[in-house]
Amino acid sequence: METHISYLLPVIGNLARYFIFAGIPFLIFYALYPDTFSNNKIQSRLAKHKDFIREILHSLQTIGILAIVGIVLVFSPLRAYTQMYGEIQDYPIWWIPISIVLALVIHDSYFYWMHRTIHHQSLFKWFHVVHHKSVNPSPFASYSFNFLEGILEAMVGPIIFFLVPMHPISIFLFTLLAFIINVYGHLGYEIAPKWFRRSFLFEIVNTSVHHNLHHKKFRGNYGLYFRVWDRLMGTEHPDYVKEYDLIQARRFGQKETSSSKQWILPMVLFLSLTGSSIYAQQSIEGTWFDEVNGGIISIYEQDGNYYGQLLEATNPKEQALIEGKSIHVLYDFKRTEENAYCCGMIFQPRRDIRVSGNLVLVNEQTLRVEGRYGPFTQRRTWKRIKEEQSPAKGD
């Protein structure tokens, strides 16, 4: 009977850790005091209840995978090949914190390269698309993976325990600390203290803004605990520090300088006097027709980024597939020059893939869409649809 109870401990432990250390932050920030922490909110958009339910259900699957791996490592003959030790006097007491730090470093390195690999266009939909359904993640997204990614996430356990001597105390503290940091990364709110920005830790350790930006942009910021690999490999998102500083300025009450306020009103008056049509001609906002794929797309601006929502397909069969669904084909494009929009993601529904890309407003009526496939670039031309226009649907 005791053996059967022991087998249940990894399951119970993982469930308790998830619902306590993800549930309490969720209650505080999302259920009880969202208005109190409104200045801490990283993205202005709000997730929906169905998103939380999806995150919990997929997390329960991941918890099952983690528990099975833990049971195999502890109760099977594989235990003899691990570095786990039961007597605390087998190693000096100072080895416990050292082993925890080593485990975090190994986990972060494993996660960075595994995470970056499954973002490849040929692997993304098989391994990682479920996790990125949480564009605006909550604490419950911490374990929200599909089955295949859940296995990859769990495989770091055997790697660590085969390499690093760890006492059960070290294992407990490592898994708890790792999950708390994971929850912080998916919190959706920045809670780092003001002094953190000027400390050496900021140059090394990730923040909630860091990982939230990865969910928002679908690329860059692949590290879990540390910024080290992203900075070494040039994959840290260029807007990270700026986004972090904006959130902290809002939290701690740093106001605009008087000089910044002085030019806002004259600029608004100037634009209104010269006519808003000048700006409209330079904007990609509006409705566009993809002449190759036959789709009608509405491009809009939100929080300084541009998104494109697929409104309808001209092919009746394809229209039936998208009916009632919210499908975005453009994500997170930023205006970098007068008529250029850079570094967003393009979703191709027919092939179910996402690729990075750029947009170029050739003229008021023509938008060039450039998708990058590794070293190759594919270009499409979209035509602006005026309100009175409506392309004829195919048979």
Side-chain angles (χ1 to χ4, degrees), residues 79 84-88 90 166-168:
R79 169 68 182 266
M84 293 185 284
Y85 61 97
E87 301 297 329
I88 198 164
D90 288 350
M166 299 193 77
H167 186 268

Side-chain angles (χ1 to χ4, degrees), residues 13-235:
N14 278 284
L15 282 171
R17 184 175 64 210
Y18 178 76
F19 283 107
I20 291 173
F21 291 96
I24 292 176
F26 181 86
L27 284 175
I28 293 172
F29 290 93
Y30 288 80
L32 299 177
Y33 307 107
D35 294 337
T36 302
F37 295 100
S38 60
N39 286 337
N40 300 61
K41 190 79 168 68
I42 298 171
Q43 295 187 42
S44 59
R45 71 188 81 174
L46 298 175
K48 300 178 180 178
H49 290 293
K50 66 178 183 179
D51 296 313
F52 306 142
I53 293 171
R54 183 194 68 250
E55 291 170 350
I56 292 172
L57 291 177
H58 281 289
S59 293
L60 290 175
Q61 175 183 257
T62 302
I63 287 170
I65 296 170
L66 293 172
I68 291 171
V69 172
I71 290 170
V72 171
L73 286 174
V74 174
F75 298 105
S76 78
L78 282 175
R79 169 68 182 266
Y81 298 95
T82 71
Q83 297 291 322
M84 293 185 284
Y85 61 97
E87 301 297 329
I88 198 164
Q89 63 268 21
D90 288 350
Y91 283 82
I93 195 68
W94 51 259
W95 178 251
I96 287 181
I98 295 296
S99 65
I100 294 171
V101 172
L102 286 174
L104 290 172
V105 170
I106 292 172
H107 191 188
D108 184 74
S109 298
Y110 171 87
F111 182 86
Y112 174 87
W113 289 105
M114 179 273 292
H115 188 195
R116 187 175 173 183
T117 299
I118 61 177
H119 263 268
H120 189 276
Q121 62 188 34
S122 62
L123 300 175
F124 185 86
K125 69 177 180 180
W126 296 104
F127 289 89
H128 203 40
V129 68
V130 166
H131 190 64
H132 270 282
K133 288 183 178 179
S134 300
V135 178
N136 188 17
S138 81
F140 288 132
S142 304
Y143 277 170
S144 182
F145 311 118
N146 70 7
F147 183 76
L148 293 177
E149 185 175 4
I151 293 174
L152 289 180
E153 297 283 347
M155 284 301 100
V156 73
I159 294 172
I160 291 173
F161 300 143
F162 283 130
L163 293 176
V164 182
M166 299 193 77
H167 186 268
I169 294 176
S170 302
I171 295 172
F172 171 77
L173 292 176
F174 160 66
T175 54
L176 181 60
L177 180 60
F179 185 69
I180 290 173
I181 296 172
N182 193 2
V183 168
Y184 167 56
H186 294 91
L187 185 60
Y189 290 77
E190 185 53 73
I191 58 174
K194 187 176 182 179
W195 58 261
F196 181 76
R197 176 67 174 85
R198 300 304 174 189
S199 73
F200 75 95
L201 291 173
F202 180 77
E203 305 300 325
I204 302 171
V205 179
N206 282 346
T207 64
S208 191
V209 172
H210 192 277
H211 192 69
N212 191 281
L213 198 59
H214 172 77
H215 276 262
K216 183 179 178 181
K217 302 293 186 180
F218 283 79
R219 60 188 177 82
N221 295 9
Y222 299 109
L224 181 59
Y225 308 126
F226 310 115
R227 295 174 62 187
V228 176
W229 278 113
D230 276 306
R231 300 183 76 176
L232 283 175
M233 305 308 298
T235 54

Side-chain angles (χ1 to χ4, degrees), residues 295-310:
I296 298 176
I297 302 99
S298 173
I299 299 180
Y300 63 94
E301 183 269 339
Q302 180 176 314
D303 297 332
N305 293 332
Y306 291 83
Y307 302 85
Q309 183 175 2
L310 181 61

Side-chain angles (χ1 to χ4, degrees), residues 321-357:
L321 294 175
I322 68 172
E323 199 74 45
K325 297 180 181 179
S326 176
I327 299 176
H328 280 73
V329 294
L330 302 178
Y331 293 89
D332 298 319
F333 283 87
K334 286 187 176 294
R335 177 180 289 195
T336 54
E337 299 176 22
E338 183 178 359
N339 295 319
Y341 300 76
C342 177
C343 311
M345 297 297 296
I346 302 172
F347 174 57
Q348 297 186 348
R350 287 182 177 177
R351 300 174 63 187
D352 193 23
I353 62 171
R354 286 179 173 85
V355 298
S356 59

